[in-house]
Amino acid sequence: MEAAGESLRDTELRLGLPGTDAPEKPASTVTRGGKRALPEDDEEGYGKSNKSSSSEEQGEGDLCCQEPPAAKAQVVGWPPIRSYRKNSLHARKAEGEAAGLYVKVSMDGAPYLRKIDLKVYKGYKELREALDDMFKCFSLGEFPRKEGCSGSEYAITYEDKDGDLMLVGDVPWEMFISSCRRLRIMKGSEATGLGSRH
Amino acid sequence: MTYFPEEVVEHIVDFLGSHGDRNAVSTVCKAWYQVDRLSRRSVFVGNCYAIRPERVVTRFPEMKSLTVKGKPHFADFNLVPYDWGGFAQPWIEAVARGCPGLEELRLKRMVVTDDDLELLARSFPNFKSLVLVSCEGFSSDGLAAIATYCRGLRELDLQENEVEDHGRQWLSCFPDSCTSLVSLNFACLKGEVNASALERLVARCPNLRSLKLNHSISVESLNKILARAPHLVDLGTGSFTIDNRSETYRRLINSFFKCKSLRSLSGFWDASPFCLQAVYPVCTNLTVLNLSYAPAIQSADLTKLIGLCFKLQKLWVLDCIGDKGLAVVASTCKELQELRVFPSDIYGAGITAVTEEGLVAISSGCPKLNSLLYFCYQMTNSALTTVAKNCPHFTRFRLCILEPEKPDPVTNQPLDEGFGAIVRSCKNLRRLSVSGLLTDQVFLYIGMYAERLEMLSIAFAGDSDKGMVYVLNGCKNLRKLEIRDCPFGDAALLKDVAKYETMRSLWMSSCDVTLGGCKALAAKMPRLNVEIINENDGTCESKENLSDLHKVEKMYFYRTVAGPRNDAPDFVWTL
């Protein structure tokens, strides 16, 4: 058993709760030297600025690990951008999320499946990290970091729109997310039949 | 001067365009006051609480166009609570009673309800133009009333309003007999709009010159619309996402080829990079381009587009254009007069999108630049000095360094000298917003040199009361002053109270002004409404219980002849 490896991974710092995606924005408050502490930005913004500053958005902040110092403090009404514009940019993001590309993810041996939104990730690296996060309680070894999975416990595969089982990582990311129907994390022993195509 | 018969005076006065000039004329003598009031067609009320609507209506019975502004500017940034005020209702009611010949109404930062819009639609048979900017409180139902009852409507211009979508197909309410539209802007609407009703409307309005769509209008629809309205001068696209190998895309390029009159483009909601190419045919004639709602387009594609727009006068972009992109703007757009660069990633971790370099490039390439709004991560004194030298014609200069109190990163000094250079060089500066690390010194410069300054916005700046006093002593033409998070207190506030009657308004939030100071001000100046906005109801303190030493979170005062207003909510105390 890889008990040592497991406990090492447990101590690894990550942003976000296990199994969740990385948070979209930092939620920190910085007190300026000499001036009063600045209230956190009211996410609900336009039309509801009466609310006090703590909201469900800020709850994430407690669970997050330390924010990088470069993260900006959020001040009410700063930067001075019209609510309309702020909401537009937000809405654009939200719309993108709503029209997400949700696919099921199964892992051999795990009792239940997960679902993830492929649109949230920028590339394969992020996807692997997220899957790592999600399934580490079940996994016993390292996830493959590169294409081809020689020597690893698991391989990440997917079922494409033709119904074929494919190895994740061969095609450009954009092409992948448009053709991926579901993901399957296979035990390495089963996956050797696939190998690298190149 | 009284030798001239009234008709002659009226004729002369008619040539005066600006409100300020006409106001001056009306103060000369009673006769001229009468001439002005009976011949004034266009009335501007900068603060809806400065005067009662009835008085305006009585004074100017022949009014054809009315402009009214409501909430203070900082309401744009959520600093003013939702129900603070600025209601359009009393204005529309008064004008409906007194000036039924009204043709044009322009409202900014006001609360407009559906009932207001219905009253408006039914009360003015000659109504031609409705412009609502940054307003709220109405829905698609109100728009339906406008569409239904305003015969002969020429302009419906909705800019950045918060409009509720009640699902009502308001656009379908324009009757078949409506053929008079010249300008239609519904870009800010969130809901669906009946595309075929829109296409039919466009088809029957031969004078349509300005059309701004919301994101619910597809490219297919846009194609049909452009086919019907090839004489459009100003277009705001709807959704702009298409597969560039599709038939729709080819048709779009074709449509744009035919739009020989197009001079202004905006919209581009969700635009993806290759879609922009469809617009290339019109670039060489564009004078206005607004890409500030297209975050998906990165610098390379932006610059390919802008590189063709050598007649551009006004450009609004996101900061993903980068310094390099701004250099392309500088080398292409020699006619540029107005530039706005908005931040695309407000919550990001300080990615350097645009810096002082981009601004310097623009200033050296675009000598006609007179209006700037620039969000950036850093600025240097040296850059500002160069900009001041290159562009002495600024009338509006707004610089927002995203991190409050950030010094010059090269010298670690405050930006006093940089802004000082701007005010010294730009003799016609009317509007200024400062940011970054600033001491009282910058305000000394502003007071000394910014003689034409009318509006000043200050945040996280200054060391002491002296800063504010420099400004109030110096800027003779100051009309609006808005301050947040600065160490200015009662001493500055009360130094020269007579000054405040020469100004429209003053806003101070998160400063060091106390309740006692505000009370003293209110006592000395009966013709100011001094409002304290007290939102933190947790303490349930009434103003009797609060000590005079209590620091006021938000104070807004304005000159008025209307006395304290009667529509103030509980959390607003008029002292």
Side-chain angles (χ1 to χ4, degrees):
Chain A
M1 282 289 139
E2 310 261 34
E6 243 185 309
S7 61
L8 259 179
R9 208 181 355 266
D10 283 341
T11 60
E12 204 175 349
L13 287 178
R14 283 187 198 287
L15 288 178
L17 300 168
T20 61
D21 305 323
E24 280 186 341
K25 58 174 176 71
S28 61
T29 311
V30 170
T31 306
R32 308 218 155 272
K35 300 229 160 105
R36 57 197 81 177
L38 304 163
E40 291 171 48
D41 192 14
D42 184 355
E43 258 298 286
E44 252 63 49
Y46 202 87
K48 296 186 188 146
S49 47
N50 265 346
K51 268 172 54 180
S52 69
S53 40
S54 57
S55 68
E56 58 277 2
E57 292 281 355
Q58 313 312 330
E60 251 187 284
D62 298 330
L63 297 162
C64 278
C65 304
Q66 299 313 307
E67 310 302 340
K72 283 196 280 297
Q74 288 164 54
V75 180
V76 175
W78 191 267
I81 302 172
R82 274 191 179 170
S83 316
Y84 174 80
R85 186 172 287 279
K86 260 193 196 165
N87 293 345
S88 284
L89 286 178
H90 264 200
R92 217 76 350 108
K93 263 188 162 176
E95 263 170 47
E97 280 154 23
L101 222 52
Y102 282 92
V103 297
K104 286 185 190 171
V105 188
S106 62
M107 176 164 170
D108 292 355
Y112 50 81
L113 281 65
R114 301 295 302 269
K115 234 182 183 171
I116 59 171
D117 178 2
L118 290 177
K119 276 205 173 166
V120 163
Y121 308 108
K122 297 198 183 77
Y124 288 117
K125 183 164 174 297
E126 276 196 24
L127 175 64
R128 287 180 212 280
E129 281 169 10
L131 291 176
D132 193 354
D133 249 345
M134 256 189 203
F135 287 97
K136 65 182 181 213
C137 39
F138 305 120
S139 78
L140 304 168
E142 287 293 314
F143 271 76
R145 297 285 169 215
K146 291 164 90 133
E147 291 86 39
C149 39
S150 44
S152 321
E153 286 276 335
Y154 292 92
I156 310 181
T157 64
Y158 69 103
E159 187 183 299
D160 73 358
K161 54 183 184 226
D162 297 328
D164 295 325
L165 192 63
M166 315 281 286
L167 184 68
V168 162
D170 284 338
V171 300
W173 176 253
E174 295 291 330
M175 200 187 291
F176 164 69
I177 60 175
S178 64
S179 57
C180 171
R181 291 291 164 265
R182 59 182 290 163
L183 284 160
R184 182 180 157 195
I185 304 171
M186 300 175 86
K187 277 206 176 58
S189 47
E190 279 187 46
T192 43
L194 293 171
S196 169
R197 301 263 164 99
H198 303 298
Chain B
M1 276 300 155
T2 47
Y3 310 136
F4 284 129
E6 273 185 17
E7 298 81 37
V8 177
V9 178
E10 181 179 326
H11 187 67
I12 297 173
V13 161
D14 255 355
F15 287 106
L16 293 174
S18 89
H19 302 287
D21 288 340
R22 289 203 69 136
N23 287 344
V25 159
S26 67
T27 60
V28 168
C29 63
K30 281 211 174 84
W32 283 34
Y33 176 88
Q34 285 298 334
V35 168
D36 168 65
R37 77 171 262 263
L38 294 173
S39 63
R40 186 93 69 112
R41 297 282 174 268
S42 172
V43 177
F44 173 82
V45 178
N47 175 5
C48 65
Y49 291 121
I51 186 165
R52 289 201 193 285
E54 295 76 24
R55 267 188 76 170
V56 175
V57 167
T58 314
R59 180 173 168 188
F60 301 112
E62 303 300 318
M63 178 167 65
K64 295 280 177 279
S65 163
L66 175 65
T67 304
V68 187
K69 292 184 174 184
K71 302 186 196 185
H73 174 235
F74 274 178
D76 283 352
F77 316 131
N78 292 357
L79 289 176
V80 176
Y82 179 60
D83 29 1
W84 171 86
F87 303 107
Q89 185 186 358
W91 287 90
I92 296 180
E93 283 177 354
V95 183
R97 273 194 296 271
C99 299
L102 191 77
E103 295 178 6
E104 178 180 294
L105 183 65
R106 310 164 78 92
L107 302 176
K108 185 168 184 178
R109 278 188 216 105
M110 296 192 75
V111 177
V112 183
T113 64
D114 287 340
D115 286 342
D116 296 335
L117 290 177
E118 176 143 5
L119 179 62
L120 173 71
R122 290 185 190 269
S123 307
F124 305 109
N126 294 337
F127 198 71
K128 294 192 171 60
S129 165
L130 178 63
V131 180
L132 300 177
V133 182
S134 296
C135 295
E136 52 174 348
F138 62 101
S139 75
S140 43
D141 291 345
L143 296 178
I146 297 286
T148 309
Y149 300 113
C150 292
R151 308 285 150 135
L153 189 71
R154 289 203 197 143
E155 178 175 28
L156 178 61
D157 187 359
L158 306 170
Q159 296 177 31
E160 301 191 344
N161 302 289
E162 290 287 336
V163 186
E164 273 189 32
D165 179 35
H166 285 180
R168 185 82 182 274
Q169 292 300 342
W170 62 276
L171 205 78
S172 315
C173 294
F174 281 108
D176 289 342
S177 53
C178 173
T179 58
S180 48
L181 277 180
V182 174
S183 166
L184 177 63
N185 173 7
F186 60 91
C188 63
L189 259 52
K190 295 184 271 242
E192 295 272 321
V193 162
N194 187 326
S196 45
L198 175 63
E199 287 155 28
R200 287 194 302 274
L201 179 65
V202 169
R204 65 179 184 271
C205 292
N207 296 326
L208 193 67
R209 292 293 171 268
S210 172
L211 179 64
K212 292 185 181 164
L213 312 170
N214 77 348
H215 69 87
S216 78
I217 303 291
S218 67
V219 178
E220 285 80 14
S221 216
L222 176 63
N223 271 331
K224 292 193 200 141
I225 289 167
L226 289 179
R228 304 290 206 167
H231 302 299
L232 275 181
V233 172
D234 178 11
L235 173 70
T237 71
S239 159
F240 216 64
T241 312
I242 29 163
D243 184 347
N244 70 340
R245 290 160 306 203
S246 70
E247 177 62 24
T248 310
Y249 180 70
R250 285 199 320 100
R251 260 187 263 136
L252 186 67
I253 299 195
N254 225 11
S255 307
F256 277 116
F257 256 120
K258 298 214 182 90
C259 290
K260 302 284 181 209
S261 312
L262 213 50
R263 296 288 173 271
S264 166
L265 273 183
S266 58
F268 297 106
W269 315 107
D270 312 324
S272 42
F274 49 74
C275 300
L276 282 192
Q277 294 174 22
V279 164
Y280 286 0
V282 298
C283 285
T284 49
N285 283 327
L286 281 185
T287 55
V288 176
L289 182 58
N290 182 353
L291 291 163
S292 63
Y293 289 102
I297 306 181
Q298 296 303 311
S299 179
D301 299 296
L302 282 174
T303 48
K304 264 191 249 158
L305 180 70
I306 296 172
L308 300 169
C309 304
F310 55 87
K311 288 192 189 154
L312 212 56
Q313 293 172 16
K314 182 159 128 171
L315 175 65
W316 291 21
V317 282
L318 291 171
D319 61 3
C320 37
I321 191 172
D323 286 333
K324 292 212 169 63
L326 288 177
V328 174
V329 175
S331 60
T332 311
C333 308
K334 298 301 178 190
E335 303 299 313
L336 197 67
Q337 294 177 28
E338 177 178 322
L339 174 67
R340 295 195 191 189
V341 180
F342 295 96
S344 51
D345 184 18
I346 321 170
Y347 305 112
I351 314 147
T352 42
V354 295
T355 67
E356 74 277 11
E357 283 180 25
L359 186 58
V360 169
I362 291 283
S363 73
S364 53
C366 309
K368 295 189 182 176
L369 197 64
N370 59 46
S371 175
L372 180 75
L373 173 59
Y374 197 76
F375 287 84
C376 59
Y377 287 87
Q378 62 182 50
M379 186 53 58
T380 63
N381 281 312
S382 155
L384 282 174
T385 309
T386 307
V387 170
K389 195 162 55 95
N390 290 340
C391 293
H393 304 299
F394 275 120
T395 54
R396 297 196 238 350
F397 190 87
R398 291 191 282 166
L399 180 67
C400 179
I401 301 164
L402 287 158
E403 189 186 313
E405 298 175 330
K406 185 158 182 187
D408 179 330
V410 171
T411 63
N412 233 24
Q413 293 297 301
L415 291 174
D416 301 334
E417 297 307 313
F419 280 106
I422 295 283
V423 293
R424 254 197 299 274
S425 164
C426 303
K427 310 249 183 282
N428 286 325
L429 197 64
R430 293 199 311 265
R431 183 169 181 184
L432 177 66
S433 297
V434 296
S435 58
L437 183 65
L438 296 166
T439 71
D440 287 343
Q441 185 71 6
V442 72
F443 300 116
L444 176 66
Y445 291 143
I446 292 175
M448 272 171 70
Y449 297 109
E451 289 178 354
R452 299 255 169 93
L453 196 65
E454 296 176 7
M455 181 168 177
L456 178 62
S457 308
I458 310 173
F460 304 103
D463 306 314
S464 75
D465 286 331
K466 281 202 278 198
M468 185 168 163
V469 173
Y470 289 143
V471 171
L472 292 173
N473 274 349
C475 300
K476 311 236 170 313
N477 287 306
L478 197 63
R479 291 191 294 118
K480 288 182 279 186
L481 181 57
E482 45 187 28
I483 305 172
R484 62 165 294 177
D485 293 276
C486 296
F488 303 144
D490 296 340
L493 183 70
L494 298 171
K495 188 86 196 295
D496 177 15
V497 293
K499 167 86 177 171
Y500 301 136
E501 275 199 351
T502 67
M503 291 168 56
R504 184 189 296 173
S505 64
L506 193 151
W507 167 284
M508 285 179 84
S509 59
S510 305
C511 296
D512 293 341
V513 175
T514 69
L515 185 58
C518 295
K519 284 185 184 170
L521 175 64
K524 285 192 192 178
M525 303 293 290
R527 285 199 295 195
L528 292 182
N529 273 359
V530 180
E531 294 187 7
I532 309 294
I533 298 171
N534 186 44
E535 295 168 279
N536 300 326
D537 295 342
T539 55
C540 297
E541 300 266 21
S542 73
K543 66 172 178 281
E544 286 74 44
N545 293 343
L546 281 177
S547 104
D548 280 359
L549 295 173
H550 171 84
K551 275 198 188 157
V552 162
E553 192 52 39
K554 292 177 185 173
M555 176 199 71
Y556 176 58
F557 71 73
Y558 48 90
R559 67 179 175 192
T560 179
V561 294
R565 55 187 178 111
N566 53 13
D567 61 3
D570 290 337
F571 54 82
V572 173
W573 304 336
T574 306
L575 299 178

